[in-house]
Amino acid sequence: DSGVTQTPKHLITATGQRVTLRCSPRSGDLSVYWYQQSLDQGLQFLIQYYNGEERAKGNILERFSAQQFPDLHSELNLSSLELGDSALYFCASSGSGTDNEKLFFGSGTQLSVL
Amino acid sequence: LAKTTQPISMDSYEGQEVNITCSHNNIATNDYITWYQQFPSQGPRFIIQGYKTKVTNEVASLFIPADRKSSTLSLPRVSLSDTAVYYCLVGDARGPIKAAGNKLTFGGGTRVLVKP
C-alpha cells in the first residue's frame, strides 16, 4: 500500500460529460502529480501541484483542470469527454522528509468513455 | 529535463539476472536516477534510486558510471512475478519543492517478460 488513495477506482460515462477524479496523498506529502496512461501507452505527465499551488504543467488538455485543496487532497476535472479520454489516471505524491523526489502512486482511476 | 532511452522489451528465464540499461546523456548535476516497476493496471512502484556509483537494496542493484550518462538496473535471479514494465526516471532531487515545478516525465519503459 503506497499510502496514496484514489477514488473512484472505475468510472464509466458518456461522451460530452464531466467527471471528477480524487486523490489523497500520503501523509505529510505536499506535492501531487497527475498522470494519464492510455492502453499500451506510457505514463503521460499532466500536472503537478505543491502545497496548493500549480507548479508544472505537461500535456494537459484545456478541457482538463486540477486543483489541490488546503487539506492537500487533489481533484482532476475532465470535461467535454471524448472517447480518446478513456485511460487509466494515476495520482502520485512526494515531498515528505527524505523521500522528496520519490513518487508514490495510487492504484489509479480507470475511466471509460462510451 | 533529461530525456531517457531504454530498450523496449527484454525476455529472460526464471533464476537469471536481468540487466536493463537506461541512457540519459544530458543528465544535470542535481538529477537523481530512479527506477520504477509497473504491473498491468497498477500504479508504478519505486524500486531503487541513486546518484552515482552503486546502490543496492533488497530487490535490485543500480549501477551508475562516473559520467552518469547511463545507469543499469540489475534484477538478480528473477521470477515469473518480476514480469512487468520497468521505467527509468531522471529528475531533480529538489524537484517537488522547486518554484518551477517538476515535470517528472516517464519514458516508454522496458517490458520484461520472465519465462519459466
Side-chain angles (χ1 to χ4, degrees):
Chain A
D1 182 8
S2 67
V4 177
T5 304
Q6 287 189 251
T7 56
K9 291 191 182 302
H10 302 277
L11 201 48
I12 301 174
T13 188
T15 55
Q17 295 299 305
R18 171 190 169 95
V19 296
T20 298
L21 313 183
R22 181 187 170 101
C23 170
S24 294
R26 281 192 326 159
S27 176
D29 282 357
L30 299 177
S31 194
V32 168
Y33 301 75
W34 286 97
Y35 288 86
Q36 177 194 57
Q37 187 170 41
S38 302
L39 195 62
D40 294 330
Q41 296 294 312
L43 290 149
Q44 301 296 316
F45 169 74
L46 296 179
I47 198 164
Q48 180 223 349
Y49 280 83
Y50 178 79
N51 202 19
E53 294 184 1
E54 179 187 306
R55 287 291 179 90
K57 259 187 174 180
N59 300 320
I60 187 167
L61 300 172
E62 286 190 10
R63 300 183 285 109
F64 296 1
S65 65
Q67 53 184 327
Q68 186 180 26
F69 295 87
D71 67 353
L72 300 177
H73 90 272
S74 177
E75 293 181 355
L76 179 66
N77 300 296
L78 315 176
S79 62
S80 303
L81 285 168
E82 301 175 359
L83 295 178
D85 296 327
S86 295
L88 199 49
Y89 291 83
F90 289 107
C91 163
S93 73
S94 72
S96 177
T98 58
D99 291 335
N100 278 332
E101 67 281 10
K102 297 177 187 175
L103 296 180
F104 295 85
F105 282 81
S107 55
T109 293
Q110 179 67 59
L111 174 66
S112 299
V113 182
L114 307 178
Chain B
L1 189 66
K3 181 182 176 181
T4 61
T5 304
Q6 306 173 231
I8 294 175
S9 64
M10 299 179 70
D11 288 358
S12 183
Y13 291 91
E14 283 189 292
Q16 289 190 335
E17 179 181 78
V18 170
N19 296 306
I20 310 170
T21 297
C22 177
S23 297
H24 28 80
N25 291 319
N26 59 341
I27 188 169
T29 302
N30 290 318
D31 285 346
Y32 272 72
I33 300 154
T34 311
W35 285 81
Y36 294 85
Q37 174 193 55
Q38 186 182 27
F39 298 113
S41 300
Q42 294 185 26
R45 182 176 70 101
F46 171 86
I47 301 175
I48 197 167
Q49 183 181 72
Y51 183 80
K52 61 180 179 181
T53 64
K54 177 183 175 182
V55 179
T56 298
N57 62 22
E58 64 276 7
V59 298
S61 294
L62 179 59
F63 299 91
I64 306 169
D67 66 5
R68 304 201 325 123
K69 293 183 183 300
S70 67
S71 60
T72 299
L73 174 72
S74 180
L75 305 172
R77 299 178 298 282
V78 294
S79 63
L80 297 178
S81 62
D82 292 317
T83 293
V85 178
Y86 293 82
Y87 294 95
C88 161
L89 187 65
V90 175
D92 192 327
R94 307 159 302 166
I97 64 174
K98 286 193 310 183
N102 203 17
K103 291 185 182 181
L104 288 178
T105 302
F106 286 76
T110 298
R111 192 173 300 271
V112 172
L113 174 62
V114 180
K115 303 175 184 177

